Amino acid sequence: PHFHLTYKMVSLKLQKRLAASILKCGKRKVWIDPNESGEISLANSRQNVRKLIKDGQIIKKPQTVHSRARVTLRNEAKRKGRHTGHGKRRGTANARLPFKVIWMRRMRVLRRMLKKYREAKKIDNHIYHELYMLAKGNQFKNKRVLMETIHKMKAERNRVKALEDQKVARMARSQAKKTRKDDKAKAADVESK
């Protein structure tokens, strides 16, 4: 006669659940020693399972490796400008880099520059305010344009001031000439009498 020895597998479902709860991990991370399945199957309380964990018959498996090496490499390539052609773009230009962000950056750059110039006494408060409002009105597309405008404005102011000074000087000269002439005429009148 042929005898087939059949081994009945012990169900360790309870122990696995309890161990997962104690180890604070998922059931798939719990390793139960297959050689000690008989002894482990008798553990029907958390306390018993804790003892088995302490003895090393139940172990929490290590975390599987999820490497970011490929991602890092790709990001480095993207920094150089690879993989960013038309076929790789999913969002609109505005979604990828909002116009508002570009505007805010530009405004901050221009306003910072104006502030620096004002503090360095390169421009007075009137010019500062005028340029500030022009910047807000989208007149300058970058720092270079703003700088050129500042130089132009200062040159214009200096020219106007020089003309004003010349005018005042001319008036003073003519006034002096007139007074001299008057004095001469008076002196001549006195002599004739």
Side-chain angles (χ1 to χ4, degrees), residues 86-122:
H86 288 297
K88 291 285 177 192
R89 301 179 196 173
R90 297 298 292 270
T92 60
N94 192 20
R96 288 162 66 82
L97 180 58
F99 305 149
K100 188 176 180 179
V101 169
I102 297 169
W103 167 262
M104 282 183 341
R105 281 182 193 165
R106 186 162 50 133
M107 278 302 102
R108 282 171 187 173
V109 164
L110 296 175
R111 286 172 183 178
R112 204 179 301 129
M113 185 178 156
L114 283 172
K115 201 173 163 194
K116 205 166 79 179
Y117 269 43
R118 185 180 59 178
E119 280 165 6
K121 298 278 189 290
K122 286 183 183 176

Side-chain angles (χ1 to χ4, degrees), residues 144-157:
R144 182 176 52 78
V145 177
L146 176 57
M147 210 179 284
E148 282 168 10
T149 310
I150 290 171
H151 293 320
K152 267 186 207 156
M153 278 180 94
K154 282 174 82 176
E156 182 63 26
R157 289 266 168 120

